[in-house]
Amino acid sequence: MIDTGMPKKAAALCASALLSVGLLAGCSAPAGNAENNEQAAGAESGQTEPEQLAPDSHLFQLVDQLASAVTPEQANELIGFEGEKTDEWQDRPDSAVFTYYVWDMGDDIVVKGNYVTHPATDYDDYAKYEADLPAELVRDRADFSRWSEIKPKLNSAEGLTYDQLVEYLGGVPGLRVKVGAGTSDDMYLWVNEDDGELRAYVDDEGECTMLSGWF
């Protein structure tokens, strides 16, 4: 796992230490045989590859829209049905209230909403939303091979913009899977053909503030 959301010099050292590229060797059948067996099993059961979610799909349009939903009621209206409240807690009577909702979108896709309200103070309320979805629905041809260039660029004085990151990843745009309503907390996701993942946190000015993932 790589995580560079820390001071630049420390992040560079930690990223080098934590980035793990490779597979653990074990006893298994040759890759070709395993793939043929999997294809044969799929053909016999009538299974087909799941349809890929494109950046302009309804789900990601919905995630964009949720950036304006500060309450569960507003989110329900945008999504089209009521979410399930899963938890709520408050440390003290005068502290913030944290509430959690989920919306089951089908096909193992879940939208999660976290709400922070301040009933006893004048602080602004805010919400965060994240789309949790299977990797096979969003595999793309993102190229993570230029990580050795991305890491120093992120930790440089100039920093790394989202647009520059897209160029480093082979021109593949990220999928906006996390947004903040009332707060800046956007996250973009890339999943390559080997299920490697890269997540980029991007601020309002289009600057990458942190990268994390595995590949």
Side-chain angles (χ1 to χ4, degrees), residues 147-199:
W147 171 251
S148 61
E149 300 174 59
I150 295 172
K151 181 178 64 176
K153 178 63 176 174
L154 176 69
N155 294 312
S156 68
E158 297 81 10
L160 175 70
T161 68
Y162 167 80
D163 290 337
Q164 290 170 335
L165 179 59
V166 169
E167 290 183 17
Y168 280 119
L169 298 176
V172 177
L175 300 171
R176 193 182 185 198
V177 295
K178 186 174 182 179
V179 297
T183 182
S184 176
D185 197 19
D186 292 356
M187 182 175 71
Y188 292 82
L189 169 70
W190 291 261
V191 180
N192 70 5
E193 293 178 322
D194 298 321
D195 287 347
E197 291 190 8
L198 182 65
R199 297 170 184 263

Side-chain angles (χ1 to χ4, degrees), residues 94-95 118-124:
D94 60 343
S95 66
H118 303 86
T121 68
D122 294 330
Y123 291 112
D124 292 334

Side-chain angles (χ1 to χ4, degrees), residues 77-191:
E77 185 173 352
L78 286 170
I79 295 173
F81 61 92
E82 291 189 6
E84 176 188 356
K85 184 177 179 180
T86 59
D87 197 10
E88 181 175 291
W89 58 274
Q90 183 181 27
D91 285 338
R92 307 181 309 273
D94 60 343
S95 66
V97 178
F98 297 84
T99 312
Y100 301 85
Y101 280 79
V102 297
W103 289 263
D104 186 346
M105 310 298 290
D107 296 326
D108 294 325
I109 300 172
V110 175
V111 173
K112 301 175 181 178
N114 299 347
Y115 300 87
V116 181
T117 57
H118 303 86
T121 68
D122 294 330
Y123 291 112
D124 292 334
D125 299 338
Y126 62 89
K128 299 178 182 180
Y129 298 92
E130 182 171 359
D132 188 2
L133 60 167
E136 60 267 20
L137 297 182
V138 290
R139 289 191 183 111
D140 53 39
R141 297 185 179 277
D143 182 3
F144 299 151
S145 64
R146 297 181 67 185
W147 171 251
S148 61
E149 300 174 59
I150 295 172
K151 181 178 64 176
K153 178 63 176 174
L154 176 69
N155 294 312
S156 68
E158 297 81 10
L160 175 70
T161 68
Y162 167 80
D163 290 337
Q164 290 170 335
L165 179 59
V166 169
E167 290 183 17
Y168 280 119
L169 298 176
V172 177
L175 300 171
R176 193 182 185 198
V177 295
K178 186 174 182 179
V179 297
T183 182
S184 176
D185 197 19
D186 292 356
M187 182 175 71
Y188 292 82
L189 169 70
W190 291 261
V191 180

